[in-house]
Amino acid sequence: MSRSYFHLHLVSDSTGETLINVGRAAAVQYEGISAIEHVYPLVRSGAQLERVISEIKAAPGLVLYTLVGHELIERLEEACRETGSPTLNVLQPVHALLRSYLGATSTERPGAQHMLNAEYFKRIDAMNFTLAHDDGALPDDLDEADVLLIGVSRTSKTPTSIYLANRGLKTANLPLVPSMPLPPSFERARKVLIVGLIASPERIVQIRQNRLLSLKADENSAYVDRESVADEIAASRRLCAKYRWPTIDVTRRSIEETAAAILDLYREHRLKFIAT
C-alpha cells in the first residue's frame, strides 16, 4: 500500500505541545497518510510570523495555530488564503464555549499555561522525587510518594512513572524479582497508592528478548523463558490480591492510557484517605 503525505504547519506562541498532540491525534486516524510536521514555537512578533509565512508558502498545507494576538492571527490567515492553505485556530472553539458558559472574556496571554506558578513547581518537585525513586531506589520514604508502581521487569514502570510525575504525582516504582521479598517500608506505607502493572507472558517475553538483543546478552536465560515469565506474572497477581492492590494490564495500553487509569485510581484513593 502506497503512502501519501501532506504538510502540517503548527504555529504557536507557546511551546507548541498542544498543537503537536492535537495534530498527531487527528492525523493518525487516516491510514496510508502521513503528516510532514513543521513546528513553529514561540511565535510572538511580526518578524517571527513572517519567517513562518515564508515556509508555509514554500510548502503549502494544513495550518493549525494557537495565537492570541489579533494582528498576528489576521496576518497568518491572510497569508494562508493567498497560498490556499486551510487554517484552524485550535483553541478558538474552546474559548468560545468558555465565554458563553462563564460569561467572561479571556486575558489573551501567550503561553499562560506555562507560567511559573505553584502547579509548575509541584511538577518539578514530583519529577525530582520520581527520578530519585526509580527502579526501587531509596525505598525507605515511600509514604512520601503519591503513587507506587510495582511489577515484573518490562511492564513500563519507569515511563509511566515519569508521565505521572509530569502530571504532578510523586511516583516511585519497584521491580518484582522472583524470591526477593518486599522492602519493610511496604508494611509501614499508608498514604501511598500502590498499583500493580501486569502484562501477558508473550508480551513480556517479546520486550525482554528485544532488550537482550540490544545488549547482546544471553537469550537462553529464565529471563525470557515463557514458563518462567508466566510464573513471575502469576506471583505478582497473587501479591496484589493478597494486599488488595489494584492491577492494570498494560499489554495493549499506551503509557498515556495506563497513566489515565492510575490517575482515576489515585483520585478515588485520595477521597478514601481523606475520609478516614
Side-chain angles (χ1 to χ4, degrees), residues 73-275:
I73 291 174
E74 291 175 1
R75 174 63 184 124
L76 177 61
E77 293 191 342
E78 176 189 17
C80 289
R81 284 194 295 269
E82 294 173 356
T83 62
S85 298
T87 64
L88 176 66
N89 184 340
V90 171
L91 294 180
Q92 193 279 330
V94 180
H95 283 312
L97 184 62
L98 284 171
R99 281 196 300 269
S100 174
Y101 183 75
L102 299 175
T105 57
S106 60
T107 56
E108 296 189 352
R109 290 177 296 166
Q113 72 271 33
H114 298 291
M115 292 182 66
L116 302 184
N117 54 19
E119 191 67 24
Y120 172 84
F121 289 106
K122 179 183 177 182
R123 292 199 307 271
I124 295 299
D125 190 33
M127 186 64 72
N128 289 335
F129 180 93
T130 298
L131 292 176
H133 292 74
D134 183 39
D135 205 28
L138 305 176
D140 291 335
D141 58 347
L142 285 182
D143 226 10
E144 292 185 21
D146 297 310
V147 176
L148 169 62
L149 303 181
I150 62 172
V152 303
S153 173
R154 304 294 117 185
T155 46
S156 303
K157 296 183 295 298
T158 293
T160 304
S161 296
I162 292 174
Y163 188 96
L164 290 170
N166 197 45
R167 297 293 299 271
L169 294 186
K170 293 180 178 179
T171 309
N173 73 78
L174 179 77
L176 296 179
V177 181
S179 66
M180 182 173 290
L182 294 175
S185 55
F186 271 63
E187 298 297 330
R188 300 192 300 270
R190 294 292 180 267
K191 185 181 70 173
V192 61
L193 167 68
I194 301 176
V195 179
L197 301 185
I198 59 174
S200 69
E202 293 76 17
R203 179 58 176 161
I204 295 297
V205 169
Q206 179 187 34
I207 298 174
R208 289 183 179 184
Q209 286 175 334
N210 291 336
R211 174 66 173 167
L212 292 181
L213 186 62
S214 68
L215 296 174
K216 297 181 180 180
D218 179 18
E219 297 182 44
N220 296 316
S221 67
Y223 185 67
V224 291
D225 177 72
R226 200 263 179 212
E227 186 174 341
S228 297
V229 172
D231 289 342
E232 284 185 56
I233 296 170
S236 71
R237 286 181 180 274
R238 289 193 297 270
L239 178 67
C240 291
K242 175 183 177 180
Y243 291 100
R244 297 183 179 180
W245 296 331
T247 60
I248 297 175
D249 190 332
V250 301
T251 303
R252 294 181 176 83
R253 288 178 185 258
S254 66
I255 299 300
E256 293 84 357
E257 289 170 328
T258 301
I262 293 170
L263 286 167
D264 281 341
L265 290 171
Y266 178 73
R267 282 189 282 268
E268 294 176 7
H269 177 77
R270 287 299 298 162
L271 288 174
K272 292 178 181 178
F273 184 80
I274 293 172

